[in-house]
Amino acid sequence: MPNNRTISFQTKISLLFGRVIYLLGWIFLFIGLLLSILITPKIDMSIIHFRGESIEVSGQVTSVLPTNASINRAKIYAVNHQFTIQTGETISGTSYATDTIFRAGDNVSIHYPAGKPEYSRIIGARGNMFPLDLIFVYLFPIAGALFTYFCLRQYIRSVPLLTKGVLAKGTLISKEETILSENKKPVYKLTFQYKDMDGNIHQTSVHTSLPEMLEDDHEEALVYDSNRPGNSLMIDSIAGETTIDDHIVHTKPRLHVIIYTWIVSLLILITIVVGLVTLSL
């Protein structure tokens, strides 16, 4: 049994980015994070401040300015207003409206949470640029996180098998077409049978849209956990030409793995830069 094989960087990226579904997970995660970073500060969360008592006063629109944003092609306007509170202090604020009918000089009704006039807004307008409905953008990073979770779970499961697993050979005993597809190709479930060091028989299944990669030899290489022989990994299920011995695991990645790696790396970089810029504003 090997003493911790070394796993090459190429093998690691093949495990992480070897399938389209994994790429979709990373894309949804980071594009969703980008959208969340950019949009969250502009979503009207004023409902949080209006949970208790609110005060209504009369005020006046001081100016109406177009923004660079729109909803369903309808322009969003910043409606600046001012009003006077009981202490005699004049408070200025900004509300937002779509295709506004407000004009500078209009008398308007304004409300604000008791004791918090800085959160004022014109009745009938929003407290920030986008409505609370846009909170649905959080579904993108959540969906991406779920996909990425399954990807990372598979990665975390595979690494110990590749570093410490026992080498064996498996024989294909069944091949079934599933209802799933990947890259417009049907996904097949291939089941292999193998023996552990004690002669016990086990089975392992692989779902793949490239079954030919696991059918080119009479017996296919695999690694299994010596403590749990039923836990195994087919070597040719890794996205690339993989070689393994007692010292190293090396993969020559397929072209799509390299492309996926660059795409995800670029998304990570953009997300970090946008996040830092947003925090500095």
Side-chain angles (χ1 to χ4, degrees), residues 78-98:
V79 184
N80 297 309
H81 60 267
Q82 65 179 23
F83 60 98
T84 302
I85 59 176
Q86 291 178 337
T87 61
E89 181 183 359
T90 298
I91 304 293
S92 297
T94 302
S95 299
Y96 293 85
T98 305

Side-chain angles (χ1 to χ4, degrees), residues 8-15 17-18 238-242 250-261:
S8 69
F9 172 75
Q10 293 91 332
T11 300
K12 291 177 180 179
I13 64 172
S14 296
L15 290 170
F17 309 118
I238 300 172
E241 184 180 334
T242 302
H250 180 74
T251 302
K252 182 180 178 181
R254 298 188 188 120
L255 179 60
H256 76 269
V257 172
I258 298 172
I259 294 173
Y260 292 175
T261 302

Side-chain angles (χ1 to χ4, degrees), residues 57-196:
V57 297
S58 296
Q60 190 175 62
V61 175
T62 56
S63 64
V64 179
L65 303 173
T67 68
N68 294 323
S70 61
I71 299 177
N72 295 327
R73 299 183 180 180
K75 194 75 172 176
I76 297 175
Y77 291 84
V79 184
N80 297 309
H81 60 267
Q82 65 179 23
F83 60 98
T84 302
I85 59 176
Q86 291 178 337
T87 61
E89 181 183 359
T90 298
I91 304 293
S92 297
T94 302
S95 299
Y96 293 85
T98 305
D99 282 347
T100 179
I101 58 172
F102 297 109
R103 297 291 181 269
D106 285 353
N107 293 318
V108 290
S109 294
I110 297 169
H111 64 164
Y112 61 88
K116 298 179 179 179
E118 65 272 20
Y119 293 110
S120 66
R121 67 184 181 192
I122 296 173
I123 294 177
R126 296 186 296 274
N128 211 333
M129 191 174 294
F130 297 114
L132 189 59
D133 298 350
L134 281 190
I135 203 168
F136 79 87
V137 297
Y138 297 133
L139 293 177
F140 289 97
I142 290 172
L146 289 174
F147 281 114
T148 305
Y149 164 75
F150 290 113
C151 169
L152 292 176
R153 188 177 70 168
Q154 181 64 27
Y155 177 84
I156 292 169
R157 171 183 173 272
S158 300
V159 167
L161 287 170
L162 290 172
T163 55
K164 299 180 180 180
V166 180
L167 278 167
K169 295 285 187 177
T171 303
L172 181 65
I173 59 174
S174 70
K175 176 183 178 182
E176 306 169 39
E177 184 175 344
T178 70
I179 60 173
L180 303 175
S181 64
E182 190 173 1
N183 285 337
K184 298 182 180 180
K185 295 180 180 179
V187 172
Y188 291 88
K189 177 185 177 183
L190 278 63
T191 302
F192 292 85
Q193 185 171 282
Y194 62 96
K195 288 184 179 180
D196 62 23

Side-chain angles (χ1 to χ4, degrees), residues 196-228:
D196 62 23
M197 291 184 296
D198 297 324
N200 299 312
I201 296 175
H202 305 274
Q203 291 184 3
T204 185
S205 296
V206 177
H207 289 80
T208 178
S209 60
L210 298 171
E212 62 274 11
M213 302 303 298
L214 290 152
E215 296 177 305
D216 53 349
D217 295 313
H218 175 65
E219 291 184 313
E220 293 287 341
L222 61 88
V223 284
Y224 69 85
D225 186 340
S226 59
N227 296 316
R228 293 188 302 153

